[in-house]
Amino acid sequence: MSKNDPQSVWLQFQQFIETFQTAVIASLSADGEPEVSYAPIIQHQACFYIYISQLASHTQNLIDHPQAELLFIEDESRANNLFARERVRLKIIADVIPRDSGNWQKIIALFSQQHPQMMSLLSSMQDFQLFKLTPQQAHYVAGFAQTYTLSGAQLTEVRQVLAERIAQSKNT
């Protein structure tokens, strides 16, 4: 398979985001101002989950404006070129998972497996909310001239951005 083969790109995209334990979160405040933060994440069944305090501004932001983005970006110290760091921008819809649901218990158990000491303390704190972040679309940059849009169920529809732009310019 070539590196631009959709299946290869999708696998590379999945392998890249699976290396992260945290994500940068871009959300909108009540007055429509962008705010950036981060949180530890769990990936489970094609969705992401965050467990965050109501004291954090992005908690209320996600409740008020459930459309947001996550950013996963290659560490600067590992990048061959700072202008072409591997990265994913992921458009998501955020939903609060009620504390009394079975799904809350299951996801908190997954968080506890990864962060046992912290979750033994945090899981009992009533000001924390569990959010399910459902991906809608991804923008994946694997390097120079290697930019892709992923959409559809489980983001399996892969299109190369450069090819799209060339096709659009020929149609105009």
Side-chain angles (χ1 to χ4, degrees):
M1 286 189 272
S2 75
K3 69 179 180 178
N4 288 332
D5 171 69
Q7 180 65 23
S8 295
V9 170
W10 186 83
L11 287 172
Q12 185 178 345
F13 160 80
Q14 285 295 322
Q15 290 169 351
F16 178 68
I17 61 175
E18 287 172 1
T19 65
F20 289 86
Q21 293 185 51
T22 63
V24 175
I25 305 166
S27 62
L28 286 177
S29 69
D31 58 358
E33 292 293 320
E35 291 188 0
V36 178
S37 189
Y38 90 99
I41 58 161
I42 296 289
Q43 187 176 6
H44 179 68
Q45 296 181 339
C47 290
F48 294 89
Y49 296 85
I50 57 174
Y51 190 60
I52 52 180
S53 170
Q54 289 178 331
L55 300 175
S57 61
H58 56 277
T59 303
Q60 193 61 47
N61 292 353
L62 292 174
I63 292 169
D64 293 343
H65 303 283
Q67 292 182 310
E69 286 196 359
L70 302 180
L71 175 67
F72 303 93
I73 188 163
E74 178 182 25
D75 189 289
E76 288 181 10
S77 66
R78 295 188 189 130
N80 292 327
N81 185 324
L82 292 180
F83 288 89
R85 287 166 66 191
E86 188 173 7
R87 59 197 175 272
V88 170
R89 258 186 28 243
L90 196 61
K91 292 181 186 220
I92 58 94
I93 299 291
D95 293 298
V96 175
I97 298 179
R99 200 173 267 272
D100 60 356
S101 72
N103 203 24
W104 190 91
Q105 295 293 335
K106 181 166 61 172
I107 300 303
I108 292 301
L110 293 173
F111 267 107
S112 295
Q113 287 173 4
Q114 283 195 5
H115 311 286
Q117 290 180 336
M118 283 304 297
M119 289 307 293
S120 67
L121 170 68
L122 297 179
S123 63
S124 64
M125 299 181 98
Q126 297 299 306
D127 73 308
F128 273 70
Q129 296 278 343
L130 180 63
F131 285 87
K132 177 182 183 180
L133 309 176
T134 305
Q136 304 297 301
Q137 185 179 56
H139 184 79
Y140 174 45
V141 177
F144 281 120
Q146 297 176 58
T147 303
Y148 306 91
T149 300
L150 291 86
S151 58
Q154 298 187 353
L155 304 177
T156 56
E157 296 172 25
V158 178
R159 296 182 319 273
Q160 187 172 20
V161 173
L162 181 61
E164 287 178 359
R165 290 191 180 145
I166 290 170
Q168 288 173 350
S169 67
K170 287 180 181 180
N171 293 331
T172 58

